[in-house]
Each structure stands twice: as structure tokens, then as C-alpha cells.
Amino acid sequence: MEHLFLALLVIIMISALASGFPVAFALPGSAIISIGLAALTGYLFEGDVSAYFAVDGPKEWLTAGITNFRSNYWDVETDTLIAIPLFIFMGIMLQKSKIAEDLLVTMGQLFGPIPGGLGISVIFVGALLAATTGIVGATVIAMGLISLPTMLNNKYDKSLASGIVCSSGTLGQIIPPSIVLIIIADQLASAADVANTMRQTDYKIVTGEFNMPGEFRVGSTSAGDMFLGALLPGLVLVGLYMLYVLVYARLNPKAAPPVPFKGKFDSKFWTRVVMVIIPPLALIFAVLGSILMGIATVNQAGSIGAIGATMMAGYRLHKGKKDAYYPIIVAIVAIIPIYFLSKNYNLNIKAIETRDFTEILVTAFFTIIFLIGISWSFWRTYKINNVLKEVVTETCVTTSMVFIILLGAAMLTSGFRAFGGEELVRDFLQDLPGGFWTQFIVVMAVIFVLGFFLDFIEIAVVVVPIIAPILLAEPGANVSAIWLGVMIGVNLQTSFLTPPFGFALFYLRGVASKLVSTLNIWKGVVPFIALQLIGLGIVGFYPTLVNYLPARTYLTSKVAPPPINPKLQHCLQEYKFDIYKNDEQKIVAAINGFQELTPSNLPNDKLDIFEEHFDNALGTFTLVAKLQKTEEEYNLFAEDYKDLHFKVRKKEKKIRKLNKKIEKLESEIRNLNSEEASDKNKIELKIENYKLEIDELAKTVPEIWKSKNEEFKIIQKAKNTRTKRYRKNVDEAYDNLDQIVMFIQDHEKLDGLSPQINDLKYSINNKDYESSISIIDDLFEKLGEISGTEEFANKLDDLISIIDSEDVNEEELLIASSDTFSLFNMENSWRKDANKNLLPELMKYNLEIKNNIGLRRQSKLTKEQAKFVARCNSVHRDVSLNF
């Protein structure tokens, strides 16, 4: 019955949207109506308001709705969503200040003389505007008003010109900073958590273990990661557009004729080109570059963009006047000393002891100058044509629309889940043959179709939370959240162009000349839709285009994880095994060479550490050979076993779902009254049918499954055991070396105890046992700060036990004190000698093994290692055999 109300929910929502009812009210309204009807119907016919809910009931749903309202309210303050109004402000400010117009005119003059050059310049400008605005509607309208008439006046084909404007105008959908990427990132962050829970549940059921290894976790994403991930795919699309226009112009010169520049390509022209291009490029670098280099978060980068756009508008609106560039010059002059001072002095006001107070005052002075330059630009945009007021008003309207839709979508999603819609979608997708890629293609097709009717915001906040956890949890493809988000973004961009409902088509139709018919626009976008689908295929086939840049940026940043991080182990192992294969003799020679330098005057416990290090280090290569052999056996077996594993696990999932349904029905029987016998018979019949279905599924499981699965478990266990043994071996080898370094470096601290040791000798010889106990207590306290003194501390403990007894055995005391002082002299002697002679050689030896045997114990990857791991991790790796 709950599925009936689920259908009602969908019908009400579609009807409301089709009738033109505001989206912000259609989404929550359809949820409230359907939930209310379900509760009322349940109360009237079943006496239970929760009767027709698959999950929880109306009260629980209301609680969830309130929680969603609260979470969305607080989410406004997060790094992800706070960037939305900032980037909207930046885009509208650039549009209103006519910087886009200058770009189009100048680029048209530069590229115009070649066939198709004007069209290429429009695409180039569209890409620049996309990287500074991220608002599709504003870009399409602006370019439709400026570039479309120019192309038509220069005898461009109407369809080609329309296609160029629509396609280049929609680049803001995928080229960062993009509003859709911010919203998708916000939704995927939650979806990744849900996907991890789903994986954890499956892992526990299959293996019986409560803790899932970290390497199998689904990585989350952020707006910054999405921006980095979308950068290369966006450039791929730009390249495809330009290549198409260039080739088309060559094949059909009349469709895109060259536009000769009537002026001269002299120094004045090139100066103008530089002055027009450099500011937008500088703004793009300031926004995206600050994120790429880890200088700023996404919302901080949004602030940079908003201020930068205002300063650009300040001089553009004052164009032709002598003081046009004064505000930006003031700001630049102020920011140079601020940068210099921040790099060379401690300007942290809270750091009272180390701060440079004079430099702080100087920096404050230049900061005030910088703020004057910014304020001057804002004042100009306010006074000239009331631009600032218009920008702020439009920003408020657009931002309010986005956040109201977010709130409404949260309520709709809760209602969808309340009626079991999420489980229904999950079951449908998981029952599809072909695994992840069939699910993915179906989902992308649905999003593509939905894009005909819904705006990207509705799709991002309604569809993504439902389908993303299912796709991310699938271990067969093990895709990253960043890749999935970019693929959805490119897909949504395609839907912007698709007739008859593509939003970009409506935007252009609204501003295009009457000479351009709707059919011209539709025909013009068809090739570009094909190009976008090709781009979608390229990004899907080469996930490295998306995953590499975020991974590399993260692994080379200040907050990069240490090499021991579980998510890095697969690729690090591949990296190290290549080194072992190529440099084994060199590493073994370094180990043997250092072994010959082992001091002869070592205490037994230190000798054990040295010997353990050499045994582990030299034993690495034998363990690697055994592990590689086991991995080969595992891979060979997995090739034949994988299909069987996938098919049976799928059937086992179905059986588990049917068992859950049986448990739910049995619970309903227990709650029935004795008068409801007919209802009991119906439920029992359902249970019987489910049991028959389970039996049928069980019969389809191949007879060889158990034996093959047991054989696989043995091979998998052997592989995991040898992997753990190898990792433990190299870790212990390097830990031992670290211990040795610490022992040697603490020699001065140990030598500093010599006066107290002499005092202890004197007091024992003079039978001043009270002073001896006091000295030993003091020694105990200091030994805690010196590494490798456990054996000496034990000797002191034995000594104090003898001294502290009522009847001191002097002969025993003499032997114990002699052993204690001999051990101290031995420790002190070998450490002094090692500091002088062994430590320099040890440092050279460390350089030979730190990036192979000791790599997991380093604090951070080198740049070369980070590049390798980023490239390796950029490819999706199947982990389904672990589930």
C-alpha cells in the first residue's frame, strides 16, 4: 500500500511542476500532502497512522523534516554552501560591468581572420566566462545578445551560430567555479557516508568482521575537490567544440567565413588584447589557483572572486577616464608589502612572545590602504548606473531560490524514503544484469531525460541523494565520489541543450533575433549534444581525467596523509615492488655495508635491535617474492572465480531481503488480534510464497559454489597474511633503525648523568644508603626522558631493592653495583663513539632505504611518490571479491 502513496507523491510533484507551480513549494508541498493522506488513510482503515509507511511513520517523518530544516539552516554556514552567493555575486557583477562584451569584441578581432575564427573566439570567451561566473542563464543571455548578432552579421550559418552560443554558454555548468558542482558536492558528501554504511553492513554479513579495512571505504568529496576534478573534463569539452568549429569551417567555408580585421595588428592592438584578457585570467587564477595551491577554501576563494570582480567592474565602469585604474593600483601597491611582511615576519597577534609588533602595525597600515582600494571600487559600482544594487538584488533572489529548493528537496527526499522509494530504487538497480555499469547507464539515462523537464538544482538535490549511495556503495566498480559528481555534472550540461525543453534553448530564444527560428536553434545544438556525449564517454572511460588532479593536490598539500594511510597501500606497494625489482642489489649492498659498521661494544639489548633490523631488512626480498607469487595465484584464480562470486552474492542479497520481509510479516502476525484470522491467513500465504522464492533462488546456486568459495578464501587468506607479514616486517625494520638513531642522539643526555653516577658510587662505597636511594630516585626521573635505558633502569631497580632492605647484603650489593656501573659505562661509551663515527654513515644508509623499506614510516610522500600514487589511485579498482 505504501507504494501507492509513493506513486501519489511522484504524481503530485510532476503535476505541480508541469502546471508552473513554483519549484520551491512544489517539492515540500507534494511530500506534505502525500504524507498527510497516508497518515489519515492509515488511521481511518487500520487504526494506525503508520500503517501505510514503509519506514517509520508520520511522527518520525515530521521529526526528520525538522531535522532536515535545521541541518540545511546550519549548512548555510559550511564551506560548501556559503560559496554559492559569493560566486553568484561574482558572475552577475562581471555580466553587469560589460567585461564579457569587451572580451568577445577583442577575441573576435584576434581570431576572426581564420575560417571559423569568430566562432572559436566565442567558445574561448564562453570558457572564460564559465570560469568566472558559473551561471548558465546569465552567460547564454549575455553571449546571445553580444555574439549572436555579430556572427549573423558576418554571414555565419544561423544554426551553427546558435549552437556555438548555446554550447559555450552552458560551459559554466561544468567548468569551475560552478554552482551545480557546489550543490552536487554537498549532496555527495552525505551520500558517501550512506554508501560507507551500506558497504560496512555487507562486509560484516559476508566476513563476520565488525571493522571494514580503511582501503575499502568510499572517499568523500568537497566543492574544492569537485572544482579540481571538473577542470580537465571542462577543457576537453572546450577543445572538442573548437575542433568541431574549425573542421566544419574547413569543410563548409560558407557556414563560418573568416572575418578580416580592418585595423592593424600593431602594438596598440596587442596592448588592448593583453589589457582585456589578463584581468579575467588573473581573476580565474586567483579563485581556482588559491584552491589548487591549498591557500584558500572554496568559500574564501568565492570571497576573492567577488572582490576581484567588483574591482574589475570598478575600472570598467569608469572606462576612458584618467583615474579609472586608481582603485586597483592602490590595492595592488598595498598588497605587495603585505605579502612580503607575512612571509618574513610573525604577524600572529595572539603569539605575544614571538610576534613582531612593529611589523604588525606596518601590515595593518597597508591593510587599511588595501581596504580603501576595495571600498573605492564598491563605491564606483554603487554610484555608476546603480550596478551594485542590481547585482546584490539579483544575488539575493538567486541565492534565496537555491536554498529554498534545498529545503524543499530535503523534505521531499524524506517523504520518498518514508514510502520505501529509496529501497525500491535500490532493489531495481541491484537487480539489473551487468552490475555497476548497467546501473550507471540507467541512472545517467534517467538524469538525461529528467534534464528535459527539471532544472539542475532539482535534479541535484532530489535525484542525487537517492541514487548516489547505491552507485558509490557498489564495490565492483569502486568509483570515486568526485568522478560520479563530474559525470552527473557533464550529463546535466548535456540536458541543458536537448530539444525541446533544454533551458539554454529557451534562454537564447528569448534574446535571439526573429531571423533565427526555433528550428535553427534546435538544429544547431544537435552536433554539440553529440560532442558532449563524446566528452561524457571520454571522461567515463578515462577516470584519471577527473581523479588525478584532486588526488595529486591532496597528496602534495600540507594536510597530506602519511604513507601508512590504508587508502594508499595498494599503489605504494606497486611503487615499492618496482624499486625492489630494479634496485635489489643496491639495497642489499647498503644493508650489508652498514652491518659491517655495527659497533662491537654494544649492550645485549642494543645488539638484539641491530640484528633484528638487519634480519628484517634482508628478509624483505624473500617476503616480497612469496607475496608476489601468492598474488599471481590469487589473480589467476580470481579470473575464473569472479563471475561465480558476483552471481551468487547477488542471489544471497535477494535471499536476505526476502528473509527481512518474512521477519516483518511474522512480526505483523504477532501483533494481530484473535479476531483477525483472515488477515493472518493472507500474511501466512505471503510468507509461504517468499519461502518458495527463497528455495528457488537457493536451487539456482551452482553446486561448485561452496568448494570454489572455500578455495578462494584459502588463497585470499594466504594473500592477506603474507601482505600483513611483509608490511609488519618492513615497519619493524625501519622502527628499529629509528630506535638506533634515537639512542645515539640521546648520548648527551646520558652522559649528563655521569656526575650523579659518580655520586652514587661514592655514597654506596661509604654506605650512605639514604643518599644512594635519593640519587637513584632522581636518576629514575631523568631516565624517563632518555631512550633505550630500560636495561639500565632495571639494574638500578635491583640495586635499590638491595639497598632498601633491612639487612643489606654487602657482597650482593657490590656485585649489583659493579654490573650497574659497567652497563652505564658501556652504554655511554658506545653512544659517544656511535655519535661521532656511526651516525653520519647511518644517515647515508637511511637515504638508501627510507623510500623503499622505510616508506610506510615516513611522515609524507615525496612529490614523485605523490604523483605516482595519485596516478595509480585515479583508476577505479574492483574490490568486489572482498564483499
Side-chain angles (χ1 to χ4, degrees):
M1 191 70 179
E2 58 269 15
H3 292 162
L4 179 64
F5 288 101
L6 176 64
L8 180 65
L9 168 67
V10 175
I11 290 168
I12 294 172
M13 181 188 71
I14 292 173
S15 301
L17 292 173
S19 67
F21 199 73
V23 175
F25 302 107
L27 299 182
S30 55
I32 292 169
I33 292 170
S34 55
I35 287 285
L37 287 173
L40 179 62
T41 308
Y43 177 76
L44 293 175
F45 292 98
E46 302 288 343
D48 180 12
V49 292
S50 302
Y52 299 138
F53 287 82
V55 181
D56 301 325
K59 290 182 181 178
E60 288 77 6
W61 179 85
L62 183 61
T63 303
I66 293 169
T67 303
N68 283 331
F69 267 119
R70 291 180 63 191
S71 67
N72 274 277
Y73 172 76
W74 292 114
D75 279 349
V76 175
E77 298 182 3
T78 64
D79 279 357
T80 304
L81 297 182
I82 195 67
I84 291 176
L86 295 170
F87 285 124
I88 291 173
F89 179 94
M90 179 176 73
I92 298 173
M93 180 62 78
L94 289 172
Q95 177 199 348
K96 295 286 185 184
S97 59
K98 298 184 179 180
I99 289 171
E101 186 176 337
D102 291 346
L103 274 169
L104 283 166
V105 171
T106 306
M107 291 301 98
Q109 293 171 347
L110 182 62
F111 293 109
I114 64 172
L118 183 58
I120 290 173
S121 69
V122 173
I123 294 169
F124 178 78
V125 173
L128 284 180
L129 291 178
T132 52
T133 64
I135 304 169
V136 172
T139 308
V140 173
I141 290 169
M143 297 186 68
L145 288 169
I146 303 165
S147 64
L148 185 60
T150 305
M151 285 191 284
L152 294 178
N153 292 337
N154 286 284
K155 299 180 181 179
Y156 263 61
D157 180 76
K158 296 174 186 176
S159 295
L160 178 63
S162 301
I164 290 171
V165 172
C166 285
S167 59
S168 58
T170 57
L171 286 170
Q173 186 85 347
I174 193 65
I175 293 181
S178 164
I179 305 303
V180 68
L181 292 178
I182 296 174
I183 295 172
I184 290 176
D186 181 61
Q187 299 300 320
L188 285 176
S190 303
D193 293 336
V194 177
N196 271 319
T197 303
M198 293 166 64
R199 272 199 188 179
Q200 176 70 55
T201 304
D202 288 345
Y203 188 81
K204 181 183 174 184
I205 291 169
V206 172
T207 64
E209 297 179 13
F210 286 90
N211 294 321
M212 181 177 68
E215 60 190 299
F216 300 144
R217 288 185 60 82
V218 178
S220 187
T221 186
S222 65
D225 290 335
M226 290 293 290
F227 284 0
L228 295 174
L231 191 58
L232 292 178
L235 295 177
V236 167
L237 285 177
V238 173
L240 287 172
Y241 293 168
M242 288 183 172
L243 182 63
Y244 167 73
V245 172
L246 194 61
V247 172
Y248 190 84
R250 291 290 179 184
L251 296 175
N252 187 4
K254 292 182 180 180
V259 182
F261 176 47
K262 295 178 181 178
K264 294 181 180 180
F265 290 100
D266 53 13
S267 58
K268 288 184 178 180
F269 172 79
W270 290 111
T271 302
R272 186 166 73 254
V273 170
V274 170
M275 291 300 292
V276 168
I277 294 178
I278 291 299
L281 288 177
L283 184 62
I284 293 167
F285 177 79
V287 174
L288 297 182
S290 61
I291 298 171
L292 273 167
M293 293 185 291
I295 297 172
T297 60
V298 174
N299 66 326
Q300 291 166 346
S303 303
I304 294 169
I307 291 172
T310 305
M311 297 190 77
M312 287 170 62
Y315 72 73
R316 175 58 184 81
L317 293 171
H318 224 59
K319 189 177 180 180
K321 298 184 180 179
K322 291 182 179 180
D323 60 345
Y325 292 97
Y326 283 5
I328 201 164
I329 291 171
V330 168
I332 292 171
V333 167
I335 209 167
I336 292 171
I338 291 173
Y339 176 79
F340 173 79
L341 291 165
S342 66
K343 286 293 181 182
N344 294 282
Y345 298 97
N346 184 1
L347 304 179
N348 188 346
I349 298 173
K350 295 181 180 178
I352 298 174
E353 296 180 358
T354 58
R355 71 186 180 187
D356 297 305
F357 189 71
T358 303
E359 285 73 16
I360 289 173
L361 292 177
V362 174
T363 306
F365 169 75
F366 282 110
T367 302
I368 293 169
I369 301 298
F370 179 64
L371 291 173
I372 288 171
I374 294 173
S375 302
W376 195 347
S377 297
F378 271 92
W379 177 252
R380 279 185 175 178
T381 58
Y382 173 71
K383 293 296 289 182
I384 300 173
N385 300 328
N386 212 17
V387 168
L388 183 61
K389 183 180 178 182
E390 291 180 12
V391 171
V392 170
T393 303
E394 288 190 32
T395 300
C396 290
V397 170
T398 308
T399 305
S400 299
M401 178 196 72
V402 171
F403 283 112
I404 291 172
I405 291 173
L406 281 172
L407 291 169
M411 297 185 70
L412 180 72
T413 305
S414 295
F416 190 80
R417 288 176 179 145
F419 294 125
E422 189 174 35
E423 187 177 348
L424 202 65
V425 172
R426 187 184 301 122
D427 290 346
F428 168 73
L429 291 175
Q430 291 177 346
D431 289 342
L432 290 171
F436 170 83
W437 291 108
T438 304
Q439 299 172 16
F440 177 73
I441 291 168
V442 169
V443 166
M444 295 302 279
V446 170
I447 291 176
F448 181 78
V449 173
L450 287 175
F452 293 9
F453 312 100
L454 300 177
D455 196 358
F456 71 87
I457 300 174
E458 292 94 272
I459 296 174
V461 298
V462 175
V463 180
V464 173
I466 295 168
I467 57 93
I470 301 166
L471 297 178
L472 291 175
E474 176 56 52
N478 196 31
V479 299
S480 67
I482 302 170
W483 178 84
L484 181 61
V486 171
M487 289 295 286
I488 292 171
V490 176
N491 193 354
L492 289 176
Q493 182 185 352
T494 305
S495 67
F496 260 85
L497 296 178
T498 312
F501 303 109
F503 284 93
L505 310 182
F506 289 119
Y507 295 143
L508 183 60
R509 178 67 276 170
V511 296
S513 166
K514 292 180 180 179
L515 296 172
V516 180
S517 67
T518 301
L519 188 60
N520 289 143
I521 297 173
W522 287 10
K523 284 172 61 180
V525 296
V526 170
F528 290 95
I529 294 170
L531 290 172
Q532 286 192 336
L533 292 175
I534 292 170
L536 190 66
I538 292 171
V539 176
F541 196 74
Y542 297 104
T544 303
L545 286 171
V546 175
N547 294 327
Y548 175 71
L549 200 54
R552 177 177 169 174
T553 303
Y554 175 51
L555 293 175
T556 55
S557 67
K558 292 180 181 179
V559 294
I564 203 167
N565 186 289
K567 297 287 280 186
L568 309 180
Q569 296 315 302
H570 175 81
C571 293
L572 273 184
Q573 193 159 295
E574 186 179 323
Y575 175 83
K576 291 201 292 181
F577 282 11
D578 283 342
I579 294 176
Y580 293 146
K581 181 181 178 181
N582 299 323
D583 299 336
E584 179 178 349
Q585 292 182 347
K586 182 182 175 184
I587 297 168
V588 170
I591 296 169
N592 290 329
F594 184 66
Q595 191 172 15
E596 292 173 2
L597 299 174
T598 305
S600 56
N601 58 336
L602 288 174
N604 291 332
D605 61 330
K606 305 303 182 297
L607 186 62
D608 289 342
I609 292 172
F610 269 88
E611 289 177 351
E612 188 179 345
H613 165 73
F614 294 124
D615 289 343
N616 287 337
L618 290 170
T620 297
F621 304 98
T622 304
L623 291 174
V624 167
K626 289 180 179 178
L627 175 55
Q628 286 179 319
K629 185 180 178 182
T630 307
E631 285 181 338
E632 286 175 9
E633 293 172 0
Y634 175 88
N635 292 333
L636 282 172
F637 186 86
E639 282 181 18
D640 297 327
Y641 169 77
K642 186 176 178 181
D643 288 340
L644 176 65
H645 182 94
F646 175 76
K647 289 175 183 176
V648 174
R649 290 299 189 214
K650 196 170 182 181
K651 289 172 183 177
E652 286 177 347
K653 278 187 177 181
K654 287 183 180 179
I655 290 172
R656 287 198 295 270
K657 287 175 184 175
L658 291 170
N659 281 322
K660 282 184 179 179
K661 290 180 179 180
I662 290 171
E663 288 175 8
K664 187 177 179 181
L665 291 172
E666 287 174 344
S667 175
E668 287 182 18
I669 289 174
R670 288 193 294 270
N671 293 328
L672 290 175
N673 299 322
S674 56
E675 300 174 358
E676 299 173 312
S678 60
D679 291 338
K680 182 179 179 182
N681 291 335
K682 289 179 183 177
I683 295 172
E684 286 177 344
L685 184 61
K686 282 185 181 179
I687 292 173
E688 195 62 35
N689 289 333
Y690 284 145
K691 286 181 178 179
L692 288 171
E693 194 175 342
I694 289 172
D695 291 339
E696 288 297 320
L697 282 169
K699 287 177 184 177
T700 60
V701 175
E703 293 181 2
I704 61 168
W705 162 246
K706 285 189 177 179
S707 60
K708 283 286 185 182
N709 182 243
E710 288 300 321
E711 192 177 349
F712 171 73
K713 284 180 179 178
I714 292 168
I715 296 174
Q716 187 184 45
K717 185 177 181 182
K719 173 178 165 288
N720 291 340
T721 301
R722 286 190 169 169
T723 301
K724 288 176 182 177
R725 192 175 297 164
Y726 156 72
R727 290 175 182 173
K728 183 181 179 184
N729 176 79
V730 292
D731 289 349
E732 287 180 351
Y734 200 76
D735 287 344
N736 289 336
L737 194 66
D738 260 352
Q739 277 188 299
I740 293 166
V741 172
M742 287 173 63
F743 298 158
I744 297 172
Q745 289 177 339
D746 281 355
H747 80 282
E748 289 184 358
K749 292 181 181 178
L750 187 66
D751 189 46
L753 301 182
S754 296
Q756 287 177 280
I757 296 296
N758 291 330
D759 291 343
L760 181 60
K761 281 183 185 178
Y762 180 81
S763 61
I764 289 175
N765 290 336
N766 289 283
K767 301 181 181 180
D768 185 0
Y769 298 138
E770 286 187 10
S771 296
S772 299
I773 291 171
S774 175
I775 292 169
I776 292 172
D777 286 340
D778 189 43
L779 284 169
F780 273 134
E781 188 176 335
K782 291 181 179 178
L783 287 173
E785 299 175 2
I786 305 173
S787 60
T789 55
E790 292 80 8
E791 189 177 354
F792 179 61
N794 290 336
K795 292 288 185 183
L796 286 176
D797 193 46
D798 294 341
L799 196 62
I800 203 170
S801 298
I802 298 169
I803 295 172
D804 203 28
S805 61
E806 292 183 2
D807 187 15
V808 177
N809 187 326
E810 293 186 2
E811 184 178 349
E812 188 180 352
L813 177 60
L814 182 63
I815 295 169
S817 61
S818 177
D819 289 345
T820 303
F821 300 140
S822 295
L823 180 61
F824 176 79
N825 291 332
M826 188 186 297
E827 279 283 356
N828 205 15
S829 173
W830 88 261
R831 292 193 193 206
K832 279 184 180 180
D833 182 62
N835 183 66
K836 182 179 179 182
N837 302 313
L838 183 64
L839 190 59
E841 297 300 322
L842 191 152
M843 292 296 116
K844 292 178 185 177
Y845 171 62
N846 179 59
L847 293 175
E848 295 291 338
I849 69 166
K850 67 180 289 188
N851 288 321
N852 40 76
I853 292 174
L855 181 52
R856 276 168 46 89
R857 289 306 195 193
Q858 303 307 309
S859 60
K860 191 177 179 181
L861 295 172
T862 65
K863 193 171 183 179
E864 178 198 348
Q865 292 162 356
K867 287 180 182 179
F868 180 91
V869 173
R871 188 166 56 252
C872 172
N873 270 342
S874 296
V875 180
H876 299 138
R877 186 168 55 92
D878 184 353
V879 296
S880 59
L881 291 179
N882 297 283
F883 291 85

